[in-house]
Amino acid sequence: MADNLVLMDHDGGVDDYLSTALLLTMEHLEVLGIVVTPADCYIKPAVGATRKLLDLMGRSDITVAESTVRGLNPFPRIFRRDSFSVDHFPILNESETVRAPLAAETGQAFMVRVLHEAPEQVTILSTGPLSTIAAALELDPSVEYKIKELIWMGGALNVPGNVDKIIEGGQDGSAEWNVYWDPPAAHRLWQTDIPITICPLDITQNLPVTSEFVRNIARNRRYPLSDFAGQCYALVTHQDYFFWDVLTTAYLGRPDLFELRKWETAIIPDGPSMGRTLVQPGGKKIKALDSVKTAEFYEYILKSWAR
Ligand SMILES: [Ca+2]
């Protein structure tokens, strides 16, 4: 199974649980662990929900670790509270015991250990801020060379960001939230030799989670995973919601659905554009998911969750 090793780092939003659920359907990958970064969540329910989801999917062998990093710009509480709801979903609480183990060490120390112990380089899938990975590199810079590639939901290249200028006073609206939560962490990763592929707002803005899609999931409700996914999306249908993390994760399962494009970019670490992913000739060479076969993507996730 070497060459297909994946370590996931998510930040506890609805989209993150769905990404976990999608990742675990990919039989060609070996998931070495799941780290939860305390960003778009409250950490205790987020870790609880992740472990219970692993149990639901029959993957109680995968360890979950709790990162203790702190971001510069917290996510709004109205987003973060979804972690409590998901942790209390009936479908995740049929059993009185939680079996998927919780790592004894911090998420960042767990990441260092898993990378060290891995027999081959590891792909990191990150669907939240890069703070835990930056902290792991701080603990042990040598693990950089155990990272094969970072696949990240983050950034806005040639479209506006999603950090609200009015709520986040003093900002110019160019930042994407996963960068903005901890701009220095993203900036740190941009100084490494780690190959980075991002899933920016440029592509995700074309993929809304529509009511029609949520109703299509409901038709598969007899499958536990579709029931779970439908519940998750029902929590967020009151707001504009897109396939952010799930789209990023789908790239691991069906790279053939995507076109990629190369960019040279820099992360702005401070000031009114803090958290901006700036297209800048001479900057770090990265790849970005540029387009996706939309109908086949929808079909892929519906089918993946029909179990
Ligand atoms: Ca996320």
Side-chain angles (χ1 to χ4, degrees):
M1 280 300 284
D3 204 36
N4 291 317
L5 307 178
V6 177
L7 180 60
M8 185 180 193
D9 178 354
H10 79 59
D11 73 330
V14 162
D15 210 12
D16 296 276
Y17 307 118
L18 292 163
S19 297
T20 305
L22 183 61
L23 179 69
L24 295 173
T25 66
M26 300 175 193
E27 284 164 11
H28 68 293
L29 301 178
E30 185 180 340
V31 179
L32 301 177
I34 298 178
V35 178
V36 185
T37 293
D40 191 6
C41 66
Y42 291 90
I43 190 66
K44 298 296 178 193
V47 165
T50 303
R51 295 170 68 202
K52 292 170 190 175
L53 176 59
L54 288 167
D55 288 352
L56 177 72
M57 294 186 71
R59 293 306 309 270
S60 311
D61 56 306
I62 297 177
T63 298
V64 176
E66 180 181 322
S67 165
T68 58
V69 298
R70 290 292 174 265
L72 217 52
N73 302 301
F75 271 98
R77 288 181 185 186
I78 195 166
F79 299 172
R80 298 170 64 201
R81 68 186 188 185
D82 288 337
S83 52
F84 281 104
S85 303
V86 176
D87 188 41
H88 286 80
F89 277 1
I91 196 168
L92 294 185
N93 288 279
E94 288 180 282
S95 168
E96 282 181 30
T97 52
V98 181
R99 290 166 56 216
L102 176 64
E105 73 262 67
T106 64
Q108 53 271 42
F110 174 80
M111 189 174 276
V112 167
R113 181 167 64 79
V114 167
L115 288 170
H116 263 303
E117 289 174 357
E120 301 281 342
Q121 283 191 307
V122 176
T123 297
I124 295 186
L125 169 65
S126 169
T127 56
L130 298 178
S131 318
T132 302
I133 305 170
L137 291 172
E138 204 61 46
L139 282 174
D140 184 349
S142 74
V143 295
E144 175 177 339
Y145 301 98
K146 288 301 287 286
I147 301 174
K148 182 179 170 187
E149 186 180 11
L150 169 64
I151 314 282
W152 184 38
M153 193 284 123
L157 298 175
N158 298 296
V159 297
N162 59 2
V163 170
D164 190 298
K165 282 196 262 204
I166 295 165
I167 295 171
E168 296 292 308
Q171 298 307 303
D172 66 8
S174 62
E176 183 280 322
W177 260 108
N178 283 343
V179 196
Y180 181 69
W181 194 78
D182 189 355
H187 187 261
R188 168 77 176 86
L189 265 290
W190 251 244
Q191 312 311 310
T192 68
D193 293 326
I194 298 168
I196 296 177
T197 297
I198 66 171
C199 179
L201 299 185
D202 306 59
I203 179 169
T204 62
Q205 69 175 13
N206 301 319
L207 292 149
V209 177
T210 61
S211 287
E212 184 195 357
F213 177 80
V214 178
R215 282 192 290 266
N216 283 340
I217 291 185
R219 295 197 187 95
N220 287 338
R221 186 170 167 267
R222 63 191 179 280
Y223 298 109
L225 216 47
S226 294
D227 191 19
F228 174 76
Q231 289 281 334
C232 280
Y233 282 127
L235 276 183
V236 295
T237 46
H238 64 92
Q239 67 188 85
D240 286 338
Y241 213 82
F242 293 83
F243 291 96
W244 292 294
D245 300 353
V246 167
L247 185 68
T248 312
T249 305
Y251 174 62
L252 282 175
R254 289 293 305 276
D256 58 299
L257 298 182
F258 293 84
E259 295 286 343
L260 276 71
R261 188 165 165 186
K262 292 177 182 171
W263 296 95
E264 295 182 344
T265 58
I267 301 289
I268 308 296
D270 49 33
S273 303
M274 76 157 69
R276 180 173 183 183
T277 316
L278 182 68
V279 175
Q280 187 178 69
K284 182 174 171 67
K285 292 181 168 63
I286 63 161
K287 288 187 278 186
L289 305 185
D290 196 56
S291 64
V292 62
K293 291 171 184 162
T294 307
E296 286 169 79
F297 163 73
Y298 283 92
E299 192 184 321
Y300 166 60
I301 53 177
L302 276 173
K303 198 174 165 196
S304 295
W305 287 332
R307 57 166 74 187

